[in-house]
Amino acid sequence: GQNIDQPTEMTATEGAIVQINCTYQTSGFNGLFWYQQHAGEAPTFLSYNVLDGLEEKGRFSSFLSRSKGYSYLLLKELQMKDSASYLCAAMDSNYQLIWGAGTKLIIKP
Amino acid sequence: IAGITQAPTSQILAAGRRMTLRCTQDMRHNAMYWYRQDLGLGLRLIHYSNTAGTTGKGEVPDGYSVSRANTDDFPLTLASAVPSQTSVYFCASGPGTSASADTQYFGPGTRLTVL
C-alpha cells in the first residue's frame, strides 16, 4: 500500500533550527511536496523535490533521497509565525498526491 | 476573485439532506481537486478533474459526486449527508492535467458538520 509517515508533533525554540522528517512508500514516484498549514487555514505550497539532494529557499530547505524513500524539511532561524502544521505529500505514478497526517510544529519563545 | 474561493465557509446540516459545496478558481487551471481533512489523518482525495468535461474518483468517493461543466467551477455534492461526512473540505487546483507534477493551490476550505 501507499504510506507517508511523519512525526505528529515537534517543539522548538524561537531562533533555533528544526528538521521535520518524512518517509514515504508509493506506487511509483513523481516528486515530494511540502506544504505549510496554519490552524484553520488552507495548506500553502513550500517546496517540491524530484531529484536527490537539497533545495534551499530562504530559511526553508528541503532534502530528498529517492533510494531511501526519505525527505526532510529544514527550518532555520525559527520565528513564532512558523508555528503551523507541515504536510508531506508524495506524488505517485498516477500523479496523485498521497498525504501524510502532518507534523504540528510548536515554537516556544 | 483572486485565486480559488469556496462557499460556504461553514455549514451545519441535518443528516439526509442534500448539500453542494462550491469551488471557483480564476487562474485558468486545468486540474481541480476535492479533498477532505480529518483530525489525525492526511488529506484524502475525493474526486478530481483533469480538465473541463472530465472527472475521476479519488481515494474516498462514496457519497460524493462532482461535475466540471467549465474550467472555473468544480462543485461537490453530497446527495444524502451522513455524520461521517463531517469534515473540513478543501478544493484545490493546478495548472496541468493529471500527467504532470503540478503544484496544487488550495481554497480556504468549508467546515461541514452533519448532525
Side-chain angles (χ1 to χ4, degrees), chain A residues 30-31 33 35 37 40-48 50 87 91 93-102, chain B residues 33 35 37 40-45 48 50 57 90 97-109 111:
Chain A
N30 281 297
F33 291 80
Y35 279 75
Q37 186 177 26
E41 298 184 7
T44 56
F45 170 76
L46 286 178
S47 68
Y48 170 68
V50 67
L87 313 182
M91 185 165 276
S93 57
N94 293 318
Y95 294 91
Q96 299 290 358
L97 284 175
I98 310 302
W99 295 83
Chain B
Y33 311 86
Y35 291 95
Q37 187 175 42
L41 299 177
L43 288 160
R44 291 183 292 170
L45 183 65
Y48 65 92
N50 298 335
K57 293 182 179 180
F90 286 103
T97 68
S98 66
S100 57
D102 288 329
T103 299
Q104 293 182 15
Y105 298 89
F106 285 78
R111 185 174 296 274

Side-chain angles (χ1 to χ4, degrees), chain A residues 2-106:
Chain A
Q2 305 198 103
N3 191 52
I4 307 288
D5 284 318
Q6 53 181 131
T8 302
E9 187 175 296
M10 299 182 70
T11 302
T13 304
E14 189 177 16
I17 299 172
V18 70
Q19 177 175 312
I20 303 173
N21 296 323
C22 170
T23 58
Y24 63 89
Q25 287 180 305
T26 54
S27 301
F29 181 73
N30 281 297
L32 194 292
F33 291 80
W34 284 96
Y35 279 75
Q36 180 190 60
Q37 186 177 26
H38 285 100
E41 298 184 7
T44 56
F45 170 76
L46 286 178
S47 68
Y48 170 68
N49 295 65
V50 67
L51 300 176
D52 285 354
L54 187 69
E55 295 272 349
E56 298 186 72
K57 193 184 293 185
R59 294 189 300 114
F60 292 8
S61 302
S62 56
F63 172 84
L64 176 67
S65 169
R66 294 177 65 132
S67 62
K68 296 182 179 178
Y70 167 70
S71 174
Y72 67 73
L73 181 69
L74 190 72
L75 291 74
K76 303 176 185 176
E77 302 169 13
L78 286 169
Q79 301 176 10
M80 297 304 293
K81 68 179 181 178
D82 297 329
S83 292
S85 288
Y86 291 85
L87 313 182
C88 173
M91 185 165 276
D92 69 12
S93 57
N94 293 318
Y95 294 91
Q96 299 290 358
L97 284 175
I98 310 302
W99 295 83
T103 299
K104 183 178 181 180
L105 179 62
I106 299 168

Side-chain angles (χ1 to χ4, degrees), chain B residues 6-112:
Chain B
Q6 293 183 235
T9 302
S10 65
Q11 182 75 43
I12 299 174
L13 190 65
R17 298 296 296 269
R18 181 184 179 90
M19 176 73 192
T20 295
L21 308 185
R22 299 185 299 278
C23 175
T24 300
Q25 53 102 0
D26 66 355
M27 297 177 282
R28 308 305 293 172
H29 284 169
N30 283 315
M32 296 187 75
Y33 311 86
W34 274 106
Y35 291 95
R36 60 178 289 173
Q37 187 175 42
D38 301 291
L39 197 63
L41 299 177
L43 288 160
R44 291 183 292 170
L45 183 65
I46 304 170
H47 284 286
Y48 65 92
S49 169
N50 298 335
T51 189
T54 69
T55 63
K57 293 182 179 180
E59 178 187 357
V60 289
D62 294 344
Y64 305 95
S65 63
V66 292
S67 62
R68 186 89 184 276
N70 57 60
T71 298
D72 298 345
D73 301 300
F74 191 43
L76 176 74
T77 297
L78 289 67
S80 179
V82 295
S84 63
Q85 292 177 312
T86 294
S87 188
V88 180
Y89 291 86
F90 286 103
C91 180
S93 70
T97 68
S98 66
S100 57
D102 288 329
T103 299
Q104 293 182 15
Y105 298 89
F106 285 78
T110 293
R111 185 174 296 274
L112 182 67

